[in-house]
Amino acid sequence: MGKVEDGKPYQWGRLYAALRAVQGLAVTGRVVPATAKELEATAGNPRYVFRTFLRTAGLDVLAARERGGAVAEAAVVAFADVARLIPPQRMDGNQITPKAEHFRQGYEAQLAEYRKAWEGLVG
């Protein structure tokens, strides 16, 4: 059996953290952690949620970059992470609720990386 880190739900959790980071940096200049309810809703329909974030991702990066300083630099990293974490195949619309814990673990792992790298920018 493979590691949790190799599975789709875990990787999608990391992607969700990167997408939220880009948006948060644009809107508030900070990364606001997702609530348990938001994580659950995203695990229930990840493709739809990701597409919603991706519709404005370019404008979000621009807005975050215009803030300058540490926010601008963090936005570069988060946006690159989004591109790196999108799977190189069609993302199915299936819910991942049965493995929502793995999704949450991936999300928390990516958020922890951001906390370490961007002290003061992650709530």
Side-chain angles (χ1 to χ4, degrees):
M1 182 161 182
K3 298 187 305 187
V4 167
E5 294 85 357
D6 294 335
K8 184 187 329 181
Y10 185 90
Q11 294 303 317
W12 284 7
R14 289 178 55 114
L15 175 58
Y16 182 55
L19 288 165
R20 284 188 61 94
V22 170
Q23 185 182 61
L25 292 165
V27 175
T28 66
R30 297 178 43 77
V31 178
V32 179
T35 65
K37 190 172 188 172
E38 289 169 322
L39 286 169
E40 183 180 328
T42 302
N45 197 355
R47 187 168 190 256
Y48 173 79
V49 173
F50 295 164
R51 289 180 72 142
T52 300
F53 274 100
L54 288 167
R55 283 187 186 100
T56 62
L59 294 173
D60 288 342
V61 170
L62 177 62
R65 294 286 291 162
E66 288 175 342
R67 288 178 175 272
V71 172
E73 294 307 313
V76 169
V77 173
F79 194 61
D81 286 344
V82 168
R84 181 178 53 80
L85 291 166
I86 293 174
Q89 70 269 0
R90 185 175 183 337
M91 183 180 286
D92 62 37
N94 295 340
Q95 66 179 20
I96 54 175
T97 305
K99 295 190 179 183
E101 179 61 21
H102 296 175
F103 178 83
R104 187 195 59 75
Q105 289 171 351
Y107 172 80
E108 291 293 337
Q110 191 68 31
L111 196 62
E113 285 183 23
Y114 292 156
R115 273 195 183 99
K116 184 177 178 181
W118 310 330
E119 189 174 328
L121 291 181
V122 180

